Structure formats: C-alpha cells, structure tokens
Amino acid sequence: MDDDSGDSRMKGLCILGATGSIGVSTLDVVARHPDKYKVIALTANSNIGVLLEQCKQFLPEVVVIVDALKAAEFQPLLQAAGLASIKVLSGTEALQQVATLPNVDSVMAAIVGAAGLLPTLAAAKAGKTILLANKEALVMSGALFMQAVAESGAHLLPIDSEHNAIFQCMPSGYTAGHRAKQARRILLTASGGPFRCMPLEQLPDVTPAQAVAHPNWDMGRKISVDSATMMNKGLELIEACWLFDVPADVIEVVIHPQSVIHSMVDYVDGSVLAQMGNPDMRTPIAHALAWPERFDSGVPPLNIFDVGRMDFERPDLERFPCLRLAYEAITAGGIMPTVLNAANEIAVDAFLNEQIRFTDIPVVIERCLQKFVAGEASSLDVVLATDLQAREISHEIIKTLRH
Ligand code: NAD
Ligand code: MG
C-alpha cells in the first residue's frame, strides 16, 4: 500500500532513447509499477523493431523516430498491430516537443552523445524532473544546463550509477547543484574496464569487439568504449563537478574492479559513506523514478558473502591518458569540455569503424584540444558552434592517423 506522504497521482514519463540499454532498463522498472508511471512518449533513432514491441506493451501516446524513412515504415506496423492511435513524429525537433509536453512530468534522458543535449535542455527549461543518463549533455554545456535547471526549478536526478550513489550519500533534502558543505572528498569509483591489466604494448591492437565487452556492466557501444579508455570516468568527473558544484580536485577517481561500491563521499568528521549494490542500472533508475521514496527495481539482493573482498587502486594515467585529458579540460574550463566531448565522440566512432587504433583515441582528443583556447561557453550558440568545429578538426586529425 502507498504511504500517504508521496504523490499518489500517476506521473507522465517521456523516455528519450527508449530503445537503448538505459531505455530498455527503464521500461523494465516501469513495468513493475504500472500504478506509478504512465508512459507518454518514447523516442528512438532508428530501431523500429524494439520500439514496436515497447509500443505494444506500454501504449505511449506519441513516439519519435528521428530517422524519417524509418518513421514512415513504422506507421503501417503500428496500424497492423491495432495501434494506429499512437502518434508518430520524426526529426530532431520532435524530440524537444515530446520532452516538454504538458502531461510529461519526468524525462529519462537516455540518448547517447551530443544528440541528447537539445531535448534534455528543453526539458530542463520546461521545469521537468530530469533523470539524467546522458552525461555528454552536461559535459558539453554544464554551466548553461545547470543555469536552466536553477531558473526553471527542474529536479535533476542522476542516473549514472556513480552520481546516483553520490547523491544517495548526500544528506536528505539535498538537491543537485548544492554541494554538501561538510564533504571534503568525493570518491568516484571505476571498474578500470576490460584493459586494466592488459600489457601496455598490446593496447594498440585491441579490437572494437574486445573494447565493447565490459567485465561488469552491459551497456551501449559508445559508453563501453569510453569505459575501456576510461574517458567514461573523465566525462563522469566533469559531470560530478556540475552536479555537485565542486572543483575537480575535490573528486578522486578510485579503481574498484568489483563494481560493488558505486561511489563514496568522505565527510570532515572522517565518515565515508558508500552506496553499494549489484552492478545493474535498474537500481539507480528505480531510485530516481521513486525518489524521494523507494520501490522495487527487480535487482536481486547483493550477496556480500559472494563478493568476499573489495579492492581499490589509483588509476594509471599512462595507461588511461583520456582521464588526464578530462582533468585538464575541466580545469581549463569554458568550452574545453565541449571540445573534449566532441573529439571523443568522433574518435570513438572512428575506432568502432576500424579507421584508427584504440590508442589513437586519446591522440585525436589531445591534438584537437590543442587547437582551442579556453573561451567562455557563454551561450548555446557558442557551445554548438564549438562542438561542430571540434568535430571537423577531429575528422581532419583522423585522416592523418588512418592505417
Ligand atoms: P545505447 O547506444 O544503448 O542507446 C542509445 C539510445 O539513444 C537509443 O535509444 C538510440 O535510438 C538513441 N539515439 C542514438 N543516437 C541518436 C540520435 N542521433 N538522435 C536521437 N536518438 C539517438 O546507449 P546507452 O548505453 O543506453 O547510453 C545512453 C546514455 O546513458 C549515454 O549517454 C551513456 O553515457 C549513459 N549511461 C549509460 C549507462 C549504461 O549502463 N548503459 C550507464 C550510465 C550512463
Ligand atoms: Mg557511470
């Protein structure tokens, strides 16, 4: 039975990136709580097969398929399934439209990469509750994004497991952007990815298939490569600076290969609070969906006897130069994180398409960063123009590296 402190009204949910790893996990949790959430809108880039099954199960009012040809293909499929009442939109602007619908209370931002920025920012400006998985949006435009959240009174709840853990280790009543004043350090945990122990001389020959096979987490391809280079932790470092309003030197990255502790907060009195759990994204997703309450996520209980031991190491910046580059970019500030993110997206794509080696990824990013000076990210136009320019420069750098 519901307690009487919560809002008993069903909340309207929009999932940006419904067909991806986070989107699918979100719907898995939502399906366990049909009395809490009504799915209003689902979006996909092009995966209409998965989207059709989701439509049959969750009966959204509207879907967005960014790819117009796929959207045209989708309409008859809906009709054949007796779901012609579901509205189908296409194009990138439709993403912003559905993220700001009046009957949408919460927006799961789970598009991968820079494509998520505009719809997520639109949701922030509209004062929605934002469940933020799309860390690239915050890395690209942290100051503008946090400003939009503050001005509209939106709630920003972190889905990234580490940030969700930090959020849970903060005092209750804490809201994103207001740091817990008595916290002296944030310990951001990292698994170290699949290549933590691989001899350094073998790294140049790593294949995309090896890089996307993460030891502990089952994720989309881009974030899996980011985890292998540890750029994921670099992006998360920047994400944490914005979410918790701290400078980068307050955050320490800790390699913890078992991925049981999802991050820690070290307080001035010597207390270190950690959030633990099985490595399954349904836990942070359920935490944010139920917040400030809690509900079942479908994740089995953590068996600490099976875990047995937990190890901690400092990251090796020679092995993981992407982490160093992220520290440098956020310390330089301004547009540099925007450049870092854009160059990384292009470099990861080139690696996945076998145009460059695994070890070329940080080379592309570093050379691209060197082409910029840290101007202020003063407006969305500046951010978007910088993003575009950094992508073009990265493509040029890749041409010189192709093997
Ligand atoms: P994914 O590749 O599995 O899914 C991406 C989703 O975005 C898909 O629905 C796809 O249709 C959509 N999409 C892709 N390109 C698009 C575009 N150009 N326009 C519109 N939609 C587009 O990715 P994922 O692993 O679910 O990750 C999503 C986001 O969540 C990323 O920012 C990632 O860093 C973050 N995240 C993921 C995990 C995880 O466990 N998967 C954990 C923490 C954070
Ligand atoms: Mg994470």
Side-chain angles (χ1 to χ4, degrees), residues 216-232:
N216 304 348
W217 297 94
D218 181 12
M219 309 180 287
R221 282 162 66 81
K222 192 256 177 186
I223 184 177
S224 297
V225 176
D226 286 348
S227 298
T229 61
M230 279 195 83
M231 179 54 93
N232 184 49

Side-chain angles (χ1 to χ4, degrees), residues 147-200:
Q147 190 188 343
V149 168
E151 282 172 7
S152 70
H155 285 295
L156 184 57
L157 301 172
I159 294 298
D160 220 333
S161 56
E162 296 76 3
H163 306 73
N164 183 271
I166 296 162
F167 184 78
Q168 293 198 49
C169 294
M170 296 276 182
S172 62
Y174 161 86
T175 51
H178 300 283
R179 119 163 80 145
K181 292 281 186 278
Q182 305 86 351
R184 62 182 166 194
R185 238 176 3 147
I186 289 176
L187 297 161
L188 187 68
T189 57
S191 69
F195 309 134
R196 184 175 58 92
C197 300
M198 181 179 270
L200 284 180

